[in-house]
Amino acid sequence: MQAAPKIAPFMPPRRILMGPGPSDVYPEVLLAQSRPTVGHLDPLFVAMMDELKALLQYAFQTQNEVTLAVSAPGSAGMETCFVNLVEPGEKVVVCRNGVFGERMRQNVERCGGVAVVVDFPWGAPVDPQVVEGVLKQHPDASYLAFVHAETSTGALSDAKTLCALAREHNCLSIVDAVTSLGGVELRVDEWGIDAIYSGSQKCLSCVPGLSPVSFSPRAVEKLKSRKTPVQSWFLDQTLVMGYWGGSGKRAYHHTAPVNALYALHESLRLLAEEGLENAWARHQHMHQLLKAGLEKLGLGFVVDEAYRLPQLNAVYIPEGVDDAAVRSQLLKGYNLEIGAGLGDLAGKAWRIGLMGYGARAENVAICLKALEEVLQ
Amino acid sequence: MQAAPKIAPFMPPRRILMGPGPSDVYPEVLLAQSRPTVGHLDPLFVAMMDELKALLQYAFQTQNEVTLAVSAPGSAGMETCFVNLVEPGEKVVVCRNGVFGERMRQNVERCGGVAVVVDFPWGAPVDPQVVEGVLKQHPDASYLAFVHAETSTGALSDAKTLCALAREHNCLSIVDAVTSLGGVELRVDEWGIDAIYSGSQKCLSCVPGLSPVSFSPRAVEKLKSRKTPVQSWFLDQTLVMGYWGGSGKRAYHHTAPVNALYALHESLRLLAEEGLENAWARHQHMHQLLKAGLEKLGLGFVVDEAYRLPQLNAVYIPEGVDDAAVRSQLLKGYNLEIGAGLGDLAGKAWRIGLMGYGARAENVAICLKALEEVLQ
C-alpha cells in the first residue's frame, strides 16, 4: 500500500477579493452552501431548482424556457453555447478584443465551425460598424459571437446594437456575459440575445463553479433541428433539458452539484432582493469612488471612459513599479487580492474588481489606502 | 423590467442519503466548504491543491503525475477520459453491463471513435474470458473500457484481470470508478489502469460536482502525441495540466471551483486518516449487516454474492409493492432516501447505498427498521 499522506485541515485566510473573480462571496451564500446535502431528485430540491430558474430568468431579464446553470465553470458555459449550436462547416463571426474573444474562436474551431475573426485593439470595445461590414461580407454566416464585458481588459461592448445587427443579418447571437451579469445593464429578451452564458463567481458573488446560461426560442429551434449530434455528452442541452426542463418528471442526466446550487439560489435571491437596477447603480457608484481615488494616485485606465466597465478596472502599472511585488505586498500585508494583467496586458496592467458583494465602500477604501501605502 | 421574484431562503431538510449518491456528506466537509473563498491563484490555495493531488494519488493508489479533480461531475470525468484519448476512427472495446457502460459507448461515438460493444446481462459483472475473445477478434482496438462498480446494478467487475488483458492486447484501459473509489479495493498502479475517473459524491462522501481523474504515463504519452486536437476546450487536459501541473507557476485555464475543492480536500483527508483498507473493510462490514437484515425482510439481491458491491445494494421490489409509494413513505416518514431502479431495473429494484460516511451502523439500523415498517 502507498502510505497515507498526513495532512491538516485547510484553513484559508480571509481575503478581500478585488481581482477579476472569484469576488467576495456573500456570507449568506457560504452559509446556504453548507446546509445538508439532499438527493438531486428529492422533490424539495426539484422545487428549489424551479425557484432557481425563475431567479436566473430575472437576472438575465428573459422568459426563455431554457435558462439554467451548467454544472461547471464559465468556460464550460461558453463551450455549452458553441457546442450545442455550431455544426461542422457553419460560419461564426467572432469579435476578438481580449482573451475571451480568442477563446470563443478556439471553441468554434473545436466544434468544426469556421471562425471569421474580427479584431479590435485590446481595451477597445467591439465596434458595431466594423461588425456590420463583416456581416455584409459574409452573408452565409450563421452566428455572431462577442464578449459583452471583456474581463481581460475591462471594456464594455454594445450588446444591444450588436444583437440587432445579428438579427438583421440572419445570425443567431452568442454572448459572453461572464463578468457583466448583475454588474451592468443586460436585457436578454429586449436585446434579442440568442445564447448567453455567465459565471457564478463574478457579479453574482457566489462561489465559483457554475455557469448560468440561457437560450432563446430561436436558438432552441436550431438546437432541435441539428443534423449532427452535439459532440459533448455532458454539455448536450437536449439531454440536460430533460432534467432542468418543464414541471413534472425530471430525467436523470448527471448528478447536480447540489450544494453549489444552494449557493447560487441564495446569491440570486439576494440580487432579486436588492433589485437588478439598484445593483447596476451600486456598481457604477462604487466605480466612481474607486476611479477618483485611483486617479489621485496617478493611475491611468486602460479603457476609455465611455466603454469602461464599473466592475473591472484595468489600470496601467506605473513605470518602474514591480508588478508581482506590489500584488504580493497587498496580499501579505492587507489580505487584499487584485488581479494581474492577462494576455497582452500581462505585466502592464492590474485588474481591480468591484463585483457583486465586493462593490462596497469599505472595499474601495481598503484598496485605495493599501495601494497608496504600497506605491509610496 | 421583469419583476423580481420573491423567494425565501432554501432550507433543505436533513435527509439520510442511502441511494446511489449523493451519499451522506461528512459534517466536516460541509464545514470546510463554507470557509472563506480565496482566489484560485492565491499561493495558499495553490499549496492546498498540491496536498489535494497527494491525497488523490493516495486514494487511487497511484504515482501518476496527472492526477486531479475535473471541475464538474463524474459524467464530465468520463468525458474527460474519452475525449482526451480517443481520436476519430480509433476502436474502443466497450463492456456494457448497465447504464454507465452504455454511456461510455455514447462518449466513444461522440468523439468519432468506433465502439465495439460487448454486452453482459444487467446485474452480471464483465466476464474477462468473453472480453479476451473480443480483444483477439479486434487486434486493431486501441482501448478497453469498462465500469469497475456499475452503479445501476451493484455489480463489481474484476478490474485487475481486465486491465492485464488490455495490456496484453496492446490496449489502454479506461475505467469508471465513480462508485468504487474509496468503497472497494482499487489499485491504479498495481493493476495497470491507464485512465480512470470517479465522482466526489459516492464513497468519498463529499458534495457532488467534482470528478477525480488519473492518467498513467502511457495515457499521457498518447495524449501528447494526438494527431487531432481534443474536441473539448474545457476538458482538454493538455491545457488543464498547465494549472494542476508540476510545482511552480500555474497557468490560468478556468476558475477552479474553490470551495468545492476545499470540500474534496477535507473528504480525502478524512479517508487518509481512516486508511483506505479500513474504509474498504468498513464498507464490507456494513454491507454484511444490511444484507442479513434485508434477507430477513425477504428481499432478494439482483447481483450474485460473488460480484456484489458492498456500497450499492440492488434488491428486487417484492411482488405487489408500489415502488414509488414506498420510496415516498421512507422519505416523508423517516427522511430516508433510497434509490429507484435505473434503466432495465426501473420499477423492478431499489438501490440502497452504503457509501462513505453513510456506511455506518446507525444508517443500516434506520434503513432496516423503516423498510420493515413500511413493507408491513
Side-chain angles (χ1 to χ4, degrees), chain B residues 24-139:
Chain B
D24 269 1
V25 174
Y26 291 109
E28 294 91 333
V29 167
L30 289 175
L31 188 65
Q33 195 195 19
S34 71
R35 296 207 175 100
T37 308
V38 298
H40 60 114
L41 295 168
D42 191 305
L44 295 176
F45 183 69
V46 167
M48 191 285 283
M49 301 248 307
D50 287 339
E51 293 180 351
L52 185 48
K53 186 169 162 178
L55 287 162
L56 283 170
Q57 287 171 325
Y58 169 68
F60 276 129
Q61 289 288 295
T62 185
Q63 305 281 352
N64 286 342
E65 186 53 34
V66 181
T67 300
L68 51 88
V70 174
S71 304
S75 318
M78 179 189 286
E79 191 159 326
T80 298
C81 289
F82 285 98
V83 90
N84 278 281
L85 293 175
V86 180
E87 293 191 79
E90 284 190 313
K91 206 179 248 189
V92 186
V93 173
V94 176
C95 306
R96 184 167 61 182
N97 63 335
V99 163
F100 297 94
E102 163 57 17
R103 189 173 292 184
M104 283 179 149
R105 180 193 66 78
Q106 294 179 27
N107 268 277
V108 169
E109 293 184 351
R110 287 186 191 221
C111 301
V114 179
V116 177
V117 176
V118 197
D119 272 310
F120 301 91
W122 277 60
V126 173
D127 182 340
Q129 269 196 300
V130 173
V131 170
E132 188 170 19
V134 173
L135 287 170
K136 280 181 182 161
Q137 278 168 41
H138 296 274

Side-chain angles (χ1 to χ4, degrees), chain B residues 265-332:
Chain B
H265 178 275
E266 182 63 14
S267 71
L268 289 166
R269 214 187 59 72
L270 292 169
L271 178 63
E273 219 169 68
E274 177 178 14
L276 257 183
E277 286 166 306
N278 293 333
W280 299 339
R282 176 170 51 82
H283 280 88
Q284 187 56 48
H285 179 52
M286 291 305 139
H287 164 69
Q288 293 301 334
L289 289 181
L290 182 71
K291 171 179 166 268
L294 290 174
E295 284 171 352
K296 257 194 207 154
L297 293 174
L299 295 169
F301 276 79
V302 170
V303 176
D304 277 355
E305 193 151 7
Y307 312 107
R308 216 174 270 168
L309 283 170
Q311 65 269 50
L312 197 287
N313 299 268
V315 289
Y316 288 112
I317 300 169
E319 196 101 1
V321 166
D322 183 338
D323 170 22
V326 167
R327 285 186 291 109
S328 174
Q329 275 177 275
L330 292 174
L331 197 67
K332 287 180 182 156

Side-chain angles (χ1 to χ4, degrees), chain B residues 19 21 40 162 193 203 220 237 247 270 279 304 322 341 349 366:
Chain B
H40 60 114
L162 289 165
I193 295 174
C203 296
V220 173
Q237 294 304 293
S247 51
L270 292 169
D304 277 355
D322 183 338
I366 291 164

Side-chain angles (χ1 to χ4, degrees), chain A residues 30 33-34 259-260, chain B residues 29-35 207 259-260 262-263:
Chain A
L30 289 175
Q33 196 194 18
S34 71
N259 292 69
Chain B
V29 167
L30 289 175
L31 188 65
Q33 195 195 19
S34 71
R35 296 207 175 100
V207 292
N259 293 68
Y262 294 171

Side-chain angles (χ1 to χ4, degrees), chain A residues 2 15 42 79 110 232 234, chain B residues 15 42 79 232 234 236:
Chain A
Q2 203 168 308
R15 303 293 200 204
D42 191 303
E79 191 160 325
R110 290 188 189 218
S232 168
F234 174 59
Chain B
R15 302 295 199 203
D42 191 305
E79 191 159 326
S232 167
F234 174 59
D236 184 341

Side-chain angles (χ1 to χ4, degrees), chain A residues 304-323:
Chain A
D304 279 355
E305 193 151 7
Y307 311 107
R308 216 172 271 169
L309 283 171
Q311 64 270 47
L312 197 286
N313 298 267
V315 289
Y316 288 111
I317 300 168
E319 198 102 359
V321 166
D322 183 336
D323 170 20

